[in-house]
Amino acid sequence: MTHSVVRIVVAGGNYAGLSALKQLYATLLATPSRQANVQITMVDRRDGFLHYIGMTRGITEPEFGSRLWVPYVTVDWLRDPQITIKQDRVTEIQPEFVQLAGGERLEFDYLVVALGQSRHGPIGVAANCKREFVGELAKSYEQLRAAKSVTVVGGGAVGIEMAADIKSDFPEKAVTLVHSRALPLPGPFKDEFRSSVVRILRDEIGVDLVLGQRVVSQNPASADMMNQEKHEPESVSATASSATLTLGNGHMLQSDWAVRCLGTFDKRGVVNLPSSTDEPVFGGNGIRVKDTMQIDDPKYPNIYACGDICNRDQVKLAGVAMHGAYIAATNIARSVLSASPTLEQSARFPPKILLLLGKSHFIMQLGDEIWEREKTQQYVSDDMSLRGCVEALSMHQPPEAISAFDSPQTY
């Protein structure tokens, strides 16, 4: 490096970006002696942390939903003079700089890519500030409240929790979940687990299930069904009012409000990192990374990726994102403080999912084990882990100083 200040850029906030920033602060800035001459910049298009885990209930309970957004200006340690928070959108990542929508180009010595994935609204959030977010929630809530019948299309984790929260908070409404396969929840989960989800939804919560049928047309179509390639997915609504949905078997469903929960969109169009190997940098499940969370390409030892944007895990989870970011930041701190550091490796976690089905029902699978209700209870909270995540990210008090060379913690 020809300059004295080490420039570290964290592209993206939320679970992964904030976890990386917290660990960088704890290892490089929290000690009175200030161990390194660094300037850390985090870029986020939002002005705060958004607890996505609680989004389905935030739509059905907007008062709870308003708590999901924690503005960065309320976090004291983010005002450290060696930390800069830029509210802007990352439009391109190049080997030596990050390009922002506002025109600024951020050159870096180390980069953490934590841009996550995108979804259509209302689960995907277009808002850039809390006021806009609360307004989006209110709009979705009013559409939902006015409906007597609701159809949720897509039986992944989000669709399942969306249907469960709607029926639990509005038991008088007719709620239908449509999924194209014989059992809900794609992924590395047991059919026994999936069947238990069906039983809870149908028999205990009262959701009507239409399984093994695909929606082939919808009138009126929601915006996400039209050509929206020029728009960010979050700004495109996947809802429609007074809709007729036609299934593959010809059956028609009439719904006062329909919401499509049909997966995510990756950020490969933003990542412009030419590969020096036979494999692309951005693979089928995200950016390829090593156990150290560095990009799995010898050309980019100073670029790390973590959270939903990387290929580390098949099941994308907030806790895994925070742990991967912690490892990435630890290794950056070690590289800043030592000329020949030993880099830490991320733990390998078994596939895991905890489904929160309204306020009274939940079910969890960890690896090949389906946990009993009593065992799962320890991971369930009334606020859908909001408090736990906020505390883990040190949003209410500054992170304590720690050595970058300590053994890693887990989330």
Side-chain angles (χ1 to χ4, degrees), residues 199-232:
R199 176 185 55 78
I200 294 171
L201 286 172
R202 182 188 58 211
D203 300 340
E204 300 186 32
I205 299 178
V207 174
D208 295 323
L209 298 176
V210 178
L211 301 175
Q213 290 295 325
R214 189 178 301 276
V215 175
V216 296
S217 67
Q218 178 180 300
N219 185 27
S222 50
D224 68 298
M225 302 174 72
M226 307 174 197
N227 186 3
Q228 297 287 344
E229 294 180 359
K230 295 183 179 180
H231 301 278
E232 293 296 316

Side-chain angles (χ1 to χ4, degrees), residues 15-248:
Y15 302 108
L18 279 171
S19 178
L21 189 57
K22 169 192 171 181
Q23 181 66 357
L24 291 168
Y25 178 90
T27 52
L28 297 175
L29 303 180
T31 59
S33 59
R34 296 270 167 168
Q35 297 189 56
N37 186 13
V38 298
Q39 184 63 44
I40 306 168
T41 302
M42 187 179 80
V43 183
D44 191 347
R45 69 173 180 83
R46 294 183 290 261
D47 73 355
F49 166 73
L50 175 57
H51 185 54
Y52 268 113
I53 293 172
M55 270 303 300
T56 58
R57 194 166 301 163
I59 292 170
T60 63
E61 300 178 15
E63 184 176 351
F64 167 73
S66 68
R67 296 165 48 200
L68 301 177
W69 192 292
V70 183
Y72 293 139
V73 295
T74 66
V75 183
D76 289 342
W77 60 272
L78 292 182
R79 293 193 285 272
D80 187 282
Q82 288 177 257
I83 293 176
T84 301
I85 305 296
K86 289 188 177 293
Q87 187 180 356
D88 207 336
R89 183 168 58 88
V90 174
T91 58
E92 186 179 21
I93 291 174
Q94 290 268 10
E96 296 180 351
F97 65 86
V98 174
Q99 183 66 49
L100 305 186
E104 188 172 3
R105 176 177 291 186
L106 300 177
E107 296 181 346
F108 59 82
D109 300 302
Y110 296 96
L111 171 65
V112 179
V113 184
L115 293 173
Q117 296 178 321
S118 295
R119 284 184 178 272
H120 285 136
I123 298 299
V125 175
N128 294 316
C129 66
K130 185 169 184 175
R131 176 184 57 79
E132 294 175 356
F133 175 61
V134 171
E136 288 183 14
L137 289 179
K139 180 179 178 180
S140 295
Y141 175 76
E142 287 305 316
Q143 293 173 343
L144 171 61
R145 188 178 64 85
K148 293 183 179 179
S149 59
V150 176
T151 300
V152 179
V153 181
V158 172
I160 289 168
E161 293 191 339
M162 184 82 262
D165 273 324
I166 293 172
K167 187 63 178 179
S168 297
D169 279 342
F170 300 94
E172 75 283 0
K173 297 186 188 299
V175 179
T176 302
L177 175 64
V178 180
H179 187 59
S180 59
R181 302 182 186 183
L183 289 172
L185 198 65
F189 306 110
K190 289 184 171 182
D191 282 352
E192 178 186 354
F193 181 78
R194 296 186 175 97
S195 296
S196 295
V197 172
V198 169
R199 176 185 55 78
I200 294 171
L201 286 172
R202 182 188 58 211
D203 300 340
E204 300 186 32
I205 299 178
V207 174
D208 295 323
L209 298 176
V210 178
L211 301 175
Q213 290 295 325
R214 189 178 301 276
V215 175
V216 296
S217 67
Q218 178 180 300
N219 185 27
S222 50
D224 68 298
M225 302 174 72
M226 307 174 197
N227 186 3
Q228 297 287 344
E229 294 180 359
K230 295 183 179 180
H231 301 278
E232 293 296 316
E234 290 88 352
S235 66
V236 180
S237 174
T239 67
S241 297
S242 301
T244 301
L245 294 81
T246 303
L247 305 180

